[in-house]
Amino acid sequence: MTAMSESDPLAAVDDSFDAADLAEGVARTEIEKKEVREEILRGSISVSEAAQQTGRSRQAIERLRRSGRVLGLLVGAQWRYPGWQFSADFPAGLIPGLEKVLYWLALSPAGAAFWLLQPAERLGGHPPIELLRRLRPEAVIDLAREQSFLP
């Protein structure tokens, strides 16, 4: 390292990338992406199961998904729904506050599911979905709004 690069912490920014390092990084990202999706799908249910848990029709569940009010991930030709967003213990079978969180996040279904499952420092280290299930949606909605790219 030259004296100039020692004094300039950003000097390496202009260095070219090593193709092997880039390929390794892309491969690692693809593996992580696949693992996250598999984790989300592990607890997923069919549209029929979601309808049964919520007391709604299959068509109503599909309308909720299309309108962005519940999460659904396409697997082959079928939609799978993370089971943690439904419960007969909640009004209309849906976790209160989830619709507002999904609106503010404006992420892909997998991205939103990942966000909901990750512990958040601002939420006392709890995953957002846990607080929603405990009927404490305000802090989760506020966090989603703060992290949103929406105007």
Side-chain angles (χ1 to χ4, degrees), residues 4-135:
M4 180 177 230
S5 62
E6 287 177 10
S7 64
D8 182 3
L10 297 178
V13 170
D14 293 328
D15 292 347
S16 61
F17 291 106
D18 178 0
D21 287 343
L22 285 175
E24 181 182 334
V26 168
R28 190 172 35 255
T29 299
E30 287 299 315
I31 290 169
E32 289 171 5
K33 180 178 151 185
K34 183 179 178 189
E35 289 172 355
V36 166
R37 184 172 169 84
E38 288 173 357
E39 176 67 26
I40 294 165
L41 289 172
R42 197 169 294 123
S44 70
I45 58 177
S46 70
V47 66
S48 297
E49 292 168 311
Q52 184 177 24
Q53 283 189 20
T54 61
R56 297 169 181 252
S57 68
R58 295 175 71 232
Q59 294 79 9
I61 298 297
E62 292 294 331
R63 280 193 301 276
L64 289 170
R65 177 190 50 77
R66 285 191 303 271
S67 66
R69 295 169 59 195
V70 298
L71 296 173
L73 287 88
L74 191 59
V75 178
Q78 294 185 348
W79 288 97
R80 301 290 298 175
Y81 297 84
W84 39 255
Q85 64 189 324
F86 305 109
S87 175
D89 297 336
F90 300 123
L94 303 174
I95 293 179
L98 180 63
E99 180 179 351
K100 288 181 181 178
V101 169
L102 295 177
Y103 168 80
W104 283 110
L105 288 177
L107 296 171
S108 70
F114 181 76
W115 186 89
L116 285 160
L117 296 172
Q118 295 309 301
E121 187 176 317
R122 283 257 327 271
L123 302 176
H126 299 287
I129 194 65
E130 185 177 318
L131 269 65
L132 289 177
R133 291 186 68 82
R134 290 184 190 173
L135 302 176

